[in-house]
Amino acid sequence: MKNFLKISVVAVSLIIIARYTIAQECEAYFPMKEGSYLEMKNYDEKNKLTGTVKNTVIKKEVQGNTITVTVDVKCFDEKDKESFTNQVQMYCKDGVFYMDMKNFLDKQSMESMKDMQVTVESDNMEIPSNMQPGQTLKDAFITFTMQMGSMKMVAFSVKIMNRKVEAVEDITVPAGTFTCYKLSQDMETKSGIKMTSSSVSWYAKDVGVVRSETFDKKGKMMGYSVLTDYKY
């Protein structure tokens, strides 16, 4: 079931923090310009490379008061072999940015289940127009349910909760030094068994995630990601 949803790093690397301007444009903590490129390297707790995520903004559309961006997402394993690819869309409406959690369902797995009755419920990731240290942000979730004959089962679910703006900090990574908002959150994943984890991420304006650290339920670091390349 793990292929039904590619979230963790991908999801963390695509969360956008938008600001509202008079011109109805979103000043985002993610590149909003076509052709922009981000590369994140993922490492385990022993600093061993576990994979790479490459994001490219391929389209930006403006319709009325709604701005939509399409991002090409490619994931590679530790040997630089492509393991996952997808195109996701995010939008800004009336100055508030949203990320649809359904964007991160594996389309190939979904296609293989087209003859089954499936239900997907989700609550979009919402980012406020202005953030302040100490601010609590709204939870987000996605639940993937399958109907097999008379039996209904939850195949996969993810809930992101306890989201909080911790501070504003400067942080240095291979791609450079950035002024960032530091955000923390907890995540609960269910796929047969329930797993809980937490993360801390640093976001820079017009860039997105610069660094992210993931911890198990006991607070031990499981891995981290850093921005290694950025073109805007």
Side-chain angles (χ1 to χ4, degrees):
M1 300 300 179
K2 64 180 181 180
N3 288 327
F4 292 154
L5 185 64
K6 302 290 184 179
I7 188 164
S8 59
V9 175
V10 179
V12 169
S13 68
L14 292 173
I15 292 173
I16 296 176
I17 302 170
R19 295 175 183 269
Y20 184 48
T21 67
I22 297 176
Q24 299 287 330
E25 284 286 340
C26 285
E27 232 176 69
Y29 281 72
F30 190 85
M32 296 287 288
K33 181 180 178 182
E34 289 184 7
S36 297
Y37 172 78
L38 299 169
E39 178 185 272
M40 298 288 294
K41 295 286 186 182
N42 309 320
Y43 298 88
D44 64 15
E45 73 282 5
K46 296 181 180 180
N47 300 313
K48 181 180 178 180
L49 179 68
T50 59
T52 304
V53 180
K54 299 179 181 181
N55 301 314
T56 304
V57 180
I58 59 175
K59 185 185 293 185
K60 176 181 178 181
E61 298 176 289
V62 180
Q63 295 183 340
N65 61 348
T66 302
I67 302 169
T68 303
V69 291
T70 302
V71 183
D72 183 63
V73 182
K74 295 184 184 300
C75 299
F76 301 82
D77 62 18
E78 70 280 5
K79 297 181 180 179
D80 206 32
K81 180 180 179 181
E82 187 174 303
S83 58
F84 172 73
T85 184
N86 200 2
Q87 288 186 3
V88 302
Q89 287 188 326
M90 293 158 283
Y91 68 96
C92 179
K93 185 175 182 179
D94 296 327
V96 178
F97 218 99
Y98 302 87
M99 183 178 67
D100 190 339
M101 299 286 282
K102 294 192 290 294
N103 280 331
F104 297 96
L105 289 170
D106 185 344
K107 293 182 179 179
Q108 292 181 346
S109 296
M110 292 291 289
E111 180 65 21
S112 68
M113 301 175 64
K114 63 183 179 181
D115 296 327
M116 298 182 184
Q117 184 178 348
V118 299
T119 302
V120 180
E121 297 179 285
S122 65
D123 197 358
N124 290 348
M125 185 81 73
E126 295 185 9
I127 309 298
S129 58
N130 296 293
M131 292 192 300
Q132 299 294 331
Q135 183 177 2
T136 299
L137 306 181
K138 184 180 177 181
D139 293 350
F141 77 91
I142 184 167
T143 302
F144 182 88
T145 305
M146 294 189 304
Q147 184 83 31
M148 302 177 67
S150 60
M151 182 175 66
K152 186 176 182 180
M153 60 178 291
V154 175
F156 203 96
S157 69
V158 171
K159 183 177 181 181
I160 302 174
M161 53 198 171
N162 302 324
R163 301 172 61 219
K164 185 177 180 180
V165 183
E166 299 286 352
V168 178
E169 299 178 348
D170 287 342
I171 187 166
T172 300
V173 293
T177 299
F178 303 88
T179 298
C180 302
Y181 280 95
K182 179 182 178 182
L183 272 65
S184 63
Q185 64 184 27
D186 296 328
M187 184 165 71
E188 180 182 276
T189 305
K190 293 181 181 179
S191 179
I193 60 174
K194 183 172 74 171
M195 298 180 62
T196 58
S197 61
S198 62
S199 67
V200 178
S201 301
W202 288 262
Y203 296 83
K205 179 182 175 182
D206 294 327
V207 181
V209 175
V210 168
R211 181 181 175 91
S212 182
E213 300 173 353
T214 304
F215 305 87
D216 64 17
K217 62 182 180 181
K218 294 182 179 180
K220 181 180 178 181
M221 180 180 284
M222 300 167 60
Y224 64 95
S225 304
V226 291
L227 183 68
T228 52
D229 195 7
Y230 169 61
K231 296 180 177 66
Y232 182 70

